[in-house]
Amino acid sequence: MKPENMVMGIVFILQTTVGILVNSSVLLHYLVPGFTGKGLKLKTLIVKHLTLANSLSIISRGIPQIMAEFGMKYFLDDIGCKLVLYLYRVSRGVSLYTTCLLSCFQAAIISSSTTKWMKFKHKAIKYMGPSCSLSWPMNLLLNVMILVTVTSSSNRRNATKKLTYGYCSASVSGTIATPLYMLLLSFTDVLCLSLMSWASVFMLSILHRHKKQVQYIHGVQHFLRVSPEARATQTILILACTFVTFYSISSIMVLYSALFGNPGLWVINIISVLETCYPIFCSFVLISNNSSASRLYLHCWWKR
């Protein structure tokens, strides 16, 4: 085994282990009755979907990478490859959608209470719950092409072009269908990222305006006591900015891979590491924002 494979294998083991533990603690916090309040049922629902999607993303991305780095070749057949990559793409899409939904929800919560905004707020919040649940079947349909294009690396079937993941390969046809499909996926991603960015700028402007008002009325010392709404808004802003950062870097590398042919495995490994960072970071941010979840996690950790 090459030293670089050993190093990457250890990195993926650490990422996967930490990610599963932290996401499990967040899910436990929101699933156990008595830990969550009744006032934020919609936000709790969105966070549940987000954490479940992050958990599936870590498992479907991390475990195959670990096995590939430690020299296990062709451990997945065609069906296994299709299911693993399909599950990853679906969970990644749901993670993007629910992060966007969480940003828009928080923007609606802290928005002005004028009549115009109240009508929009009630309509937006009314449809957020059903749309959160619909994100799973929507992403199942959007990523159905993976079930056709992905094969095992052991499969030597001829294709115009192949993109290898180390343990699986994706064939790229020369027809117009492939660029149209990629355009559809890019459109949905850009739409979610645009909404997320708009909500983040909107929340930042409200926080800045509120800071100036509080400083004028009560002085700086009073503002240092951050309200729960402001703390929740700051948390979601951190999640949105982090997602956009990791997504942008990995997208640039994926575009580089598509433009310059079949990339080296080191490029695929870096993309995999980057794409696994957000689900882990997201759970740490959610835990740090919730004091009861933090205490539960620390208690379970020290009891081990």
Side-chain angles (χ1 to χ4, degrees), residues 9-281:
I10 293 171
V11 169
F12 285 121
I13 287 174
L14 290 174
Q15 273 195 318
T16 305
T17 304
V18 172
I20 291 173
L21 285 174
V22 181
N23 276 279
S24 298
S25 66
V26 176
L27 275 177
L28 179 65
H29 166 72
Y30 283 102
L31 290 176
V32 174
F35 279 108
T36 54
K38 296 180 179 179
L40 292 174
K41 288 185 178 180
L42 180 55
K43 184 177 179 181
T44 300
L45 175 67
I46 297 173
V47 172
K48 284 179 183 178
H49 282 276
L50 174 61
T51 308
L52 178 60
N54 286 341
S55 301
L56 292 175
S57 178
I58 292 169
I59 292 170
S60 59
R61 193 65 157 172
I63 293 178
Q65 287 289 159
I66 292 170
M67 298 174 73
E69 293 300 330
F70 282 101
M72 297 182 67
K73 293 184 177 181
Y74 314 136
F75 58 91
L76 288 174
D77 57 9
D78 282 355
I79 295 176
C81 278
K82 292 177 191 297
L83 290 178
V84 165
L85 289 178
Y86 185 56
L87 179 61
Y88 169 72
R89 290 293 306 180
V90 169
S91 58
R92 176 194 168 281
V94 174
S95 180
L96 168 61
Y97 184 82
T98 47
T99 304
C100 172
L101 205 61
L102 197 58
S103 301
C104 294
F105 170 78
Q106 191 63 29
I109 289 295
I110 67 171
S111 62
S112 173
S113 57
T114 59
T115 306
K116 183 181 74 171
W117 276 110
M118 285 297 290
K119 289 180 180 179
F120 173 76
K121 187 187 298 187
H122 287 309
K123 285 183 179 180
I125 292 176
K126 178 182 178 181
Y127 293 108
M128 278 183 182
S131 65
C132 187
S133 300
L134 283 172
S135 64
W136 291 95
M138 181 181 70
N139 278 281
L140 286 170
L141 288 174
L142 277 175
N143 293 283
V144 73
M145 279 291 290
I146 289 177
L147 299 176
V148 179
T149 58
V150 170
T151 59
S152 171
S153 293
S154 60
N155 193 324
R156 304 300 179 184
R157 186 177 63 185
N158 291 329
T160 306
K161 189 177 178 181
K162 276 195 174 184
L163 179 64
T164 180
Y165 296 94
Y167 50 91
C168 295
S169 300
S171 58
V172 181
S173 66
T175 63
I176 192 65
T178 299
L180 286 177
Y181 175 67
M182 296 301 295
L183 186 63
L184 175 63
L185 291 181
S186 300
F187 173 76
T188 56
D189 287 359
V190 169
L191 179 62
C192 286
L193 289 170
S194 300
L195 286 172
M196 200 186 304
S197 301
W198 171 84
S200 299
V201 172
F202 180 76
M203 287 187 285
L204 279 172
S205 64
I206 289 179
L207 287 178
H208 180 68
R209 189 163 62 246
H210 177 66
K211 178 180 178 180
K212 289 174 66 176
Q213 290 174 348
V214 172
Q215 284 181 336
Y216 177 75
I217 298 171
H218 300 287
V220 178
Q221 289 184 348
H222 180 82
F223 181 73
L224 291 177
R225 291 177 287 181
V226 183
S227 66
E229 292 81 6
R231 188 163 57 247
T233 303
Q234 291 168 3
T235 298
I236 293 168
L237 281 170
I238 291 171
L239 290 179
C241 293
T242 306
F243 190 97
V244 171
T245 301
F246 283 126
Y247 178 87
S248 300
I249 297 173
S250 63
S251 295
I252 290 170
M253 298 194 73
V254 169
L255 184 62
Y256 166 82
S257 304
L259 291 176
F260 295 97
N262 205 7
L265 283 180
W266 67 273
V267 177
I268 301 297
N269 285 337
I270 292 175
I271 293 173
S272 300
V273 170
L274 288 172
E275 290 179 338
T276 314
C277 281
Y278 174 75
I280 299 171
F281 182 81

